[in-house]
Amino acid sequence: MTVTGTTAQAPERPAHRDGNVLRWLGAYAASMIGDSVYYMALAWAAARSGSATQAGLVLAVGSIPRALLMLGGGVLADRIGPRRVVVGSDAARCLVVLGLAGTLLLTSPAVWMLIAVALVFGVVDALFLPAVGALPPRITAAGQLARVQGLRGLASRAANVVGAPLGGVAVAGGGPTLAFAVAGVLFAVSLPLLLSLRVGPLPARETAEPSGTAWHELVDGLRHIRRHPVLGPLMLAVALSELGFAGPLNLGLILLARERGWGASGMGWIVAAFGIGAGASALVLAVRGRVPRAGLVMCLMVLIGAVAIAALAYTPSLGPAIAVAVGIGLFAGLGGSLCGALIQTVTEPAYLGRVTSVSTLFTHAIAPLSYPVTGAAVAAWGTGPVFVASAAVCAAGAVAALTFTRLRRAELPG
């Protein structure tokens, strides 16, 4: 496939009207929905095939290669190009999941089989996540990156809304076999969209000099982050805010709903409210395309979201808790989208895969490690103090970022 010139040379077009961006967005949405259906199918197959402990092992084992290989995925994206990595990873997921669906037509799922598939999926995720985050600057103009982040947030929320019910219907209609087949088809749908993308090459002046080995390239990427006046503080903010948000908004919310007697339906309403707030923030960014004083606004949004997390544990009833959850989604969602847009804007394109892999590592690999700590802390001290402590960690990231003048004054391209 012929690669065209950089999109920056063409007249700038709003991202929501750019067919190139919309193809990327459609591929991303199909892949995310496929992920949701796959995890639903894996959970049901694991629960039917083994004990509760074995089912938990199947669901957890995929995080191991994701944590170990995520940074390597960023190096690969910078070496051979993010589109190649995304296409290859989606093709691998399609083949593996459809192969598993075909196997289950002939035999019952075994625990070892599901563990093997989960491990492969974890490896593919370690390649896919950094690469998909490195694509936007190669398919649109710099001034549209914030709008692309908003569109990506909307696609993620839509995938959450559509994926879980679709997976449930597939499992109910044909068991895990049908659900795996549906997930494989969704991964297949994304492939022609990805192959049709017009991807601009890196400008010659921004192409990193090859350093010989993947390890040296990884070290070079980490050094680039450490020395950069904006990226270093941004990564500090990402690390602390993810550690602060992850525990309360996942395991902590379940424990809070049980403690207050809100039940599964109450927790569902809170999760939906959070999604509404996050979706609204993504829509605002997608429509506006730019927020003045993006660095300052990002820090303030994260700080307000942290205060809302602490308040959630002390809401007197379900109604106020739902209102607070909307606020958390709105403020945290806008802060996260602005952070992503700033990362893509200030990073030299030659390093974008490696930089994205570092931020994704905190989100998808390190932050989940707070779950067992959150559970043990809630058992010892209750939800209130734990939510406050988690909010303090998150707020510390925002406050630390505010102390860096270059980040505080960072702007998105006009």
Side-chain angles (χ1 to χ4, degrees):
M1 182 175 179
T2 303
V3 177
T4 66
T6 61
T7 55
Q9 295 173 339
E12 184 170 326
R13 180 183 302 175
H16 61 285
R17 297 177 183 174
D18 187 341
N20 203 38
V21 172
L22 294 178
R23 286 191 293 273
W24 171 82
L25 191 67
Y28 177 75
S31 185
M32 292 297 99
I33 296 172
D35 268 350
S36 295
V37 175
Y38 159 77
Y39 282 112
M40 174 73 73
L42 186 69
W44 275 92
R48 290 183 178 183
S49 305
S51 64
T53 301
Q54 289 173 323
L57 176 63
V58 170
L59 295 178
V61 73
S63 63
I64 298 173
R66 190 183 301 123
L68 294 177
L69 302 177
M70 185 76 71
L71 297 180
V75 172
L76 186 64
D78 285 337
R79 272 197 163 192
I80 69 174
R83 199 260 298 272
R84 291 181 181 177
V85 177
V86 171
V87 169
S89 60
D90 256 3
R93 287 197 279 194
C94 177
L95 293 174
V96 169
V97 175
L98 289 179
L100 178 60
T103 302
L104 296 184
L105 290 174
L106 305 175
T107 185
S108 299
V111 171
W112 68 265
M113 185 189 307
L114 300 176
I115 289 176
V117 169
L119 284 171
V120 172
F121 227 80
V123 172
V124 172
D125 269 353
L127 304 179
F128 174 83
L129 292 170
V132 77
L135 263 177
R138 305 281 289 272
I139 62 174
T140 190
Q144 296 301 313
L145 289 176
R147 185 170 274 128
V148 169
Q149 286 299 310
L151 292 172
R152 182 180 179 182
L154 286 174
S156 296
R157 297 302 161 189
N160 291 337
V161 170
V162 173
L166 179 60
V169 169
V171 169
T177 302
L178 178 60
F180 282 125
V182 170
V185 169
L186 286 165
F187 294 137
V189 166
S190 72
L191 290 174
L193 296 172
L194 291 169
L195 290 170
S196 66
L197 288 179
R198 301 187 307 275
V199 179
L202 294 176
R205 69 181 185 277
E206 292 178 327
T207 303
E209 292 295 327
S211 53
T213 68
W215 173 254
H216 286 130
E217 289 190 19
L218 174 59
V219 172
D220 186 38
L222 297 176
R223 189 182 296 117
H224 175 70
I225 294 172
R226 181 174 60 84
R227 292 177 176 176
H228 199 284
V230 176
L231 281 177
L234 268 177
M235 291 302 163
L236 176 62
V238 169
L240 291 176
S241 62
E242 289 293 343
L243 284 172
F245 274 119
L249 295 184
N250 290 280
L251 178 61
L253 186 56
I254 297 172
L255 300 175
L256 178 66
R258 186 178 64 184
E259 180 182 285
R260 298 297 179 84
W262 295 336
S265 62
M267 187 189 73
W269 279 109
I270 295 175
V271 172
F274 175 82
I276 290 171
S281 69
L283 181 61
V284 167
L285 198 56
V287 171
R288 286 184 57 88
R290 185 176 183 273
V291 175
R293 301 294 299 273
L296 176 63
V297 173
M298 180 209 76
C299 295
L300 293 178
M301 292 299 98
V302 173
L303 188 59
I304 296 172
V307 173
I309 286 179
L312 183 61
Y314 294 95
T315 50
S317 59
L318 181 58
I322 292 173
V324 171
V326 172
I328 295 174
L330 182 63
F331 295 118
L334 184 55
S337 295
L338 288 174
C339 181
L342 284 170
I343 288 173
Q344 293 185 340
T345 298
V346 303
T347 303
E348 290 184 26
Y351 290 95
L352 195 51
R354 282 163 284 180
V355 172
T356 305
S357 72
V358 173
S359 63
T360 308
L361 179 69
F362 289 124
T363 304
H364 289 85
I366 295 179
L369 297 177
S370 65
Y371 296 165
V373 177
T374 299
V378 168
W381 298 297
T383 53
V386 172
F387 271 62
V388 170
S390 297
V393 172
C394 183
V399 172
L402 284 170
T403 64
F404 292 89
T405 303
R406 292 286 295 274
L407 174 56
R408 195 171 61 249
R409 296 179 178 175
E411 294 278 8
L412 294 173

